[in-house]
Amino acid sequence: GLAVIVLAGCSSDPDSNPVGGGGGGEQQTFQDFIDTLTSAEPADRGGLVDEFMLTASAAGIPFLEDTLAHFIYRGALSSGITVPGDFNGWSPVTDPMTHIAGTDFYYLTKTFESDARLDYKLVLDGGDWILDPLNPSTVPGGFGANSELAMPDYVQSEEINYDAGIDHGTIETFSFHSSVLMNDRDVHVYLPPGYATSPAETYPTLYVNDGGEYLTLAGMDNVLDYLHDRGDIQDMIAVFVEPVNRNTEYWLNPAYSEMMVDELVPHIDLNYRTLDSPSKRGVMGASLGGLVSVYISHGHPDVFGFSAGQSGAFWVNSNQIIQTISSGPELDVEFYLDWGTYEAEIAQSNYALRDALLAREYTVTQFEYHEGHSWGSWRAHTDDILKAFAAQTE
């Protein structure tokens, strides 16, 4: 008969998931299964895979054992399958799956930190990029959804989800014309719960670059509602600014900075009940949006007293913004930075900017996560930005 191995995905405690196998009840690992599979007669391998998949599917795929993640695919392929993701720079050739002869079973085992959270996809036969059909967990991205690998100690963020049981802010959208840039863009203004019924109240304001994506991909309005409901932040207005020519505008562009400072901020201050003080006004963004946020605030500390960058692309123009800060005086601006260890050059530039800011004795809130360059990371940490901004404005 078939030698059947049953496994259960492990938590951070390997003894917390005893797994039965064979006739002895000894603990088995994924590697034990692979060893048994490869030593079995070819005719028996399909049955072993079917038995294993019952357990693996129940535990979740990728199949996790402590710091090991086992990517699995079943299907008929002509030239194989690879796993591009945050962990290999989205290379379609770096991490091929191993095929077990005589089966439709493919696997790849990789080691990650126990709290890592990473995006990935599968590439079939060197061509089609697909979501992992065995993994229902996906995260939104700028180029569509990706499959999500969340290691055992990663904690999902509940604040990004809409909660029908709490009070909600309102969002007003208008088209904003810039005479400086000679273009029009959508701007979405989040007004906190109670804004309409508290006509004497004035509010700090946070400007959000890539504003549309912070709403659609990061659920930042949900985060604002959640933190308001819990009393974690005071009420604030958030101005979600959509880009028009993103790379041009965010690439240390003084005209974009002028649009924000001389056109948009006065428009918001005129039409909404804002606190007109740099200590009550912040700007934030991700990637190039993080770069331009630091650039704007450092160039205009009289307007923005808080700046936040998530995975900021501070390497742009040979680290120009880092050199500017290193050679300049300390200004009255507080900074927030977060980045992922799986971001290579961006992580290095964040280290360098952080060190430059600290050398100039700026106040810096900083976080590093075992994540990549993705909205899955940024959306999970916008609550930290809001808390840091709220702490400054109190």
Side-chain angles (χ1 to χ4, degrees):
L2 299 179
V4 177
I5 295 181
V6 181
L7 303 93
C10 292
S11 71
S12 57
D13 177 6
D15 295 326
S16 67
N17 288 279
V19 291
E26 69 277 10
Q27 286 198 10
Q28 303 287 351
T29 66
F30 181 82
Q31 188 57 50
D32 291 332
F33 162 67
I34 295 299
D35 292 342
T36 299
L37 189 59
T38 54
S39 62
E41 293 295 326
D44 293 338
R45 292 176 181 174
L48 287 170
V49 170
D50 290 340
E51 289 284 350
F52 165 73
M53 290 303 295
L54 293 174
T55 298
S57 298
I61 294 173
F63 185 73
L64 306 180
E65 293 178 308
D66 300 322
T67 58
L68 298 179
H70 309 289
F71 300 88
I72 294 168
Y73 180 80
R74 294 190 77 178
L77 299 170
S78 58
S79 61
I81 181 170
T82 61
V83 188
D86 287 328
F87 42 85
N88 57 23
W90 290 93
S91 165
V93 298
T94 298
D95 282 314
M97 284 188 170
T98 297
H99 179 225
I100 302 296
T103 74
D104 63 355
F105 185 83
Y106 293 78
Y107 74 96
L108 169 70
T109 296
K110 293 187 73 68
T111 301
F112 300 107
E113 298 85 1
S114 65
D115 61 349
R117 193 220 60 83
L118 300 161
D119 290 20
Y120 72 97
K121 273 194 164 83
L122 305 179
V123 177
L124 308 182
D125 290 327
D128 292 337
W129 290 62
I130 67 167
L131 295 172
D132 185 343
L134 299 177
N135 179 6
S137 298
T138 63
V139 287
F143 300 98
N146 294 317
S147 292
E148 179 180 64
L149 165 68
M151 295 299 285
D153 291 337
Y154 178 81
V155 178
Q156 294 288 347
S157 300
E158 61 179 342
E159 72 275 2
I160 63 177
N161 301 309
Y162 180 82
D163 184 347
I166 64 176
D167 291 336
H168 299 281
T170 57
I171 294 179
E172 299 182 355
T173 298
F174 60 90
S175 179
F176 182 74
H177 176 75
S178 169
S179 299
V180 174
L181 294 171
M182 294 301 295
N183 59 24
D184 298 273
R185 74 191 62 236
D186 283 340
V187 175
H188 316 278
V189 179
Y190 169 94
L191 302 173
Y195 181 89
T197 56
S198 304
E201 189 75 22
T202 52
Y203 303 89
T205 311
L206 182 61
Y207 288 73
V208 186
N209 291 298
D210 283 317
E213 291 191 321
Y214 265 100
L215 288 171
T216 60
L217 302 181
M220 190 168 166
D221 51 335
N222 296 336
V223 179
L224 283 157
D225 291 341
Y226 177 93
L227 296 179
H228 163 84
D229 181 71
R230 292 172 62 95
D232 290 341
I233 60 173
Q234 73 271 48
D235 286 346
M236 65 179 67
I237 294 170
V239 182
F240 295 89
V241 187
E242 300 249 23
V244 177
N245 302 301
R246 183 177 187 272
N247 281 4
T248 300
E249 291 178 346
Y250 291 0
W251 203 278
L252 301 178
N253 186 337
Y256 181 78
S257 180
E258 184 181 348
M259 181 278 292
M260 290 280 283
V261 169
D262 293 340
E263 294 183 320
L264 184 57
V265 167
H267 178 87
I268 296 297
D269 285 349
L270 180 64
N271 289 279
Y272 298 94
R273 299 195 307 275
T274 62
L275 289 165
D276 184 14
S277 164
S279 66
K280 310 295 185 183
R281 194 183 290 119
V283 59
M284 62 170 283
S287 193
L288 284 174
L291 168 71
V292 78
S293 297
V294 170
Y295 173 70
I296 291 170
S297 62
H298 191 264
H300 299 277
D302 56 323
V303 178
F304 291 102
F306 175 85
S307 181
Q310 296 191 281
S311 303
F314 304 122
W315 54 267
V316 159
N317 291 0
S318 302
N319 300 318
Q320 178 183 326
I321 189 65
I322 299 170
Q323 295 173 19
T324 299
I325 288 172
S326 295
S327 60
E330 182 193 353
L331 305 173
D332 194 13
V333 182
E334 294 191 8
F335 291 89
Y336 170 102
L337 303 174
D338 74 45
W339 64 89
T341 58
Y342 289 86
E343 295 193 83
E345 185 177 26
I346 279 183
Q348 294 302 316
S349 72
N350 273 266
Y351 297 144
L353 177 63
R354 175 202 61 192
D355 292 347
L357 290 169
L358 293 176
R360 283 288 178 267
E361 299 186 343
Y362 282 98
T363 297
V364 182
T365 301
Q366 56 176 313
F367 296 99
E368 179 178 77
Y369 301 100
H370 295 125
E371 301 201 45
H373 196 77
S374 79
W375 283 103
S377 174
W378 304 329
R379 69 177 184 173
H381 308 308
T382 54
D383 62 324
D384 292 322
I385 295 176
L386 294 169
K387 291 173 184 176
F389 178 56
Q392 175 180 315
T393 60
E394 287 178 348

